[in-house]
Amino acid sequence: TPFRRRRQMCVRDGGRAAVGRTSSGDYPVWVGWDILGGLGARALDVFQPSAAFVIHDSGAGEHAARARRSLEDAGIETSVYAVPSGEKNKTLNTAADLYRWLAGKRAERKHLLVAVGGGMVGDLAGFVAATYLRGIPFAQLPTSLLATMAASAGGKVALDLPHGKNLVGPLH
């Protein structure tokens, strides 16, 4: 069956399910159970970062810790920042807090920003990655089905304003 062939392909290729193709370049998409331990090796292969900054929502702390271990095991210096869960935190104020944190850590364009959690943290971290230093590499590790389907692929990230949801953000 097509599903069985796709599953076999994912297992043979370390969980890679697809390659997203865009006019600005291709990007790999990995899907699978318990593949977080391979994050560090994949990050080195795709981005070659010397440092990584993991941003997670407070509900994804365990996943963020696993991401950090994988990145550090691959020799990538890693810092972690927890954002309170909830859509109410997807704001310019929270983004400004992240900008200050990244500046304090001396984040550079060759470093990697990693979002771990649901759609809110993916939107927030993606917005920050797109705008800090005019863009730094970004990887998203969605931890919910909704985040996987709605926000993790396609290059759209946004913040909310008091006037409405997703009013400020880039498309890439």
Side-chain angles (χ1 to χ4, degrees):
T1 68
F3 176 76
R4 186 169 290 147
R5 281 193 299 274
R6 172 58 62 105
R7 176 156 169 65
Q8 290 168 348
M9 178 192 76
C10 290
V11 170
R12 278 196 309 273
D13 198 14
R16 190 175 76 197
V19 174
R21 302 204 184 279
T22 69
S23 60
S24 59
D26 298 347
Y27 61 91
V29 177
W30 286 276
V31 177
W33 294 107
D34 205 27
I35 62 172
L36 189 53
L39 173 63
R42 288 185 180 103
L44 285 175
D45 185 47
V46 175
F47 301 107
Q48 300 86 42
S50 57
F53 302 93
V54 176
I55 299 170
H56 69 92
D57 63 47
S58 55
E62 182 180 324
H63 297 297
R66 290 181 62 207
R68 179 183 203 156
R69 277 193 303 277
S70 181
L71 290 161
E72 288 179 344
D73 286 350
I76 302 168
E77 182 182 331
T78 305
S79 298
V80 178
Y81 189 101
V83 175
S85 295
E87 187 76 14
K88 68 182 182 287
N89 297 300
K90 197 172 82 169
T91 66
L92 290 168
N93 287 336
T94 307
D97 291 342
L98 289 168
Y99 295 140
R100 284 188 285 275
W101 177 69
L102 290 168
K105 296 286 187 179
R106 301 192 181 276
E108 300 177 12
R109 281 197 182 116
K110 63 185 175 184
H111 296 159
L112 174 64
L113 193 90
V114 180
V116 180
M120 180 281 290
V121 78
D123 264 354
L124 174 65
F127 179 90
V128 168
T131 55
Y132 185 77
L133 294 175
R134 298 183 180 156
I136 62 175
F138 176 60
Q140 192 159 344
L141 301 160
T143 57
S144 70
L145 180 59
L146 181 59
T148 301
M149 301 308 293
S152 67
K156 59 182 183 17
V157 294
L159 300 181
D160 300 341
L161 295 177
H163 302 84
K165 183 174 168 58
N166 295 332
L167 293 179
V168 180
L171 273 173
H172 176 68

